[in-house]
């Protein structure tokens, strides 16, 4: 499953092997949609490239005991989440 912003990416993502594709720019509660598409389970991994604007949905989308991989942050952290604490507890994985 992949999330994307551009209109034309859904078909491309499916051709590359994604079972489903979610346009997160059109569906603000995409974490819940992921849960619905996975029969409530969630996904094994979310690669988060935006940061504070989408982190809550990324956390909502993952299955129990799975991971959100933080690749980057765009903009100021307004999420109220202490990312350094989560990384120290190994609750999120930050890749440089």
């Amino acid at each position: 499953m992949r999330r994307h912003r551009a209109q034309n990416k859904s078909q491309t993502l499916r051709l590359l092997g994604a079972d489903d594709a979610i346009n997160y720019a059109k569906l603000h509660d995409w974490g819940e949609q992921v849960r619905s598409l996975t029969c409530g389970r969630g996904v094994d991994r979310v690669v988060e490239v935006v940061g504070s604007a989408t982190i809550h949905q990324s956390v909502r989308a993952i299955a129990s005991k799975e991971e959100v991989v933080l690749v980057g942050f765009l903009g100021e952290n307004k999420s109220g989440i202490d990312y350094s604490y989560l990384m120290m507890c190994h609750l999120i994985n930050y890749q440089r």
Side-chain angles (χ1 to χ4, degrees):
M1 181 175 313
R2 300 286 187 262
R3 67 184 175 97
H4 62 89
R5 184 177 190 154
Q7 289 280 28
N8 59 349
K9 286 189 179 178
S10 288
Q11 183 178 7
T12 302
L13 290 168
R14 285 187 178 96
L15 289 172
L16 292 171
D19 294 326
D20 290 292
I22 297 171
N23 184 335
Y24 70 89
K26 287 190 169 193
L27 185 64
H28 297 296
D29 192 16
W30 58 265
E32 188 60 39
Q33 180 68 20
V34 168
R35 289 281 178 165
S36 177
L37 290 168
T38 59
C39 299
R41 182 188 180 280
V43 294
D44 295 335
R45 181 173 295 114
V46 173
V47 178
E48 176 61 63
V49 297
V50 176
S52 66
T54 57
I55 191 70
H56 287 91
Q57 293 300 316
S58 294
V59 170
R60 178 71 185 120
I62 59 171
S64 178
K65 299 184 182 179
E66 298 300 346
E67 68 181 356
V68 174
V69 179
L70 296 175
V71 177
F73 294 89
L74 297 175
E76 184 179 345
N77 180 8
K78 296 180 182 179
S79 67
I81 295 173
D82 183 350
Y83 296 106
S84 58
Y85 174 77
L86 293 176
M87 286 185 278
M88 287 186 326
C89 294
H90 302 285
L91 296 174
I92 59 173
N93 184 3
Y94 180 70
Q95 302 291 320
R96 288 185 181 214

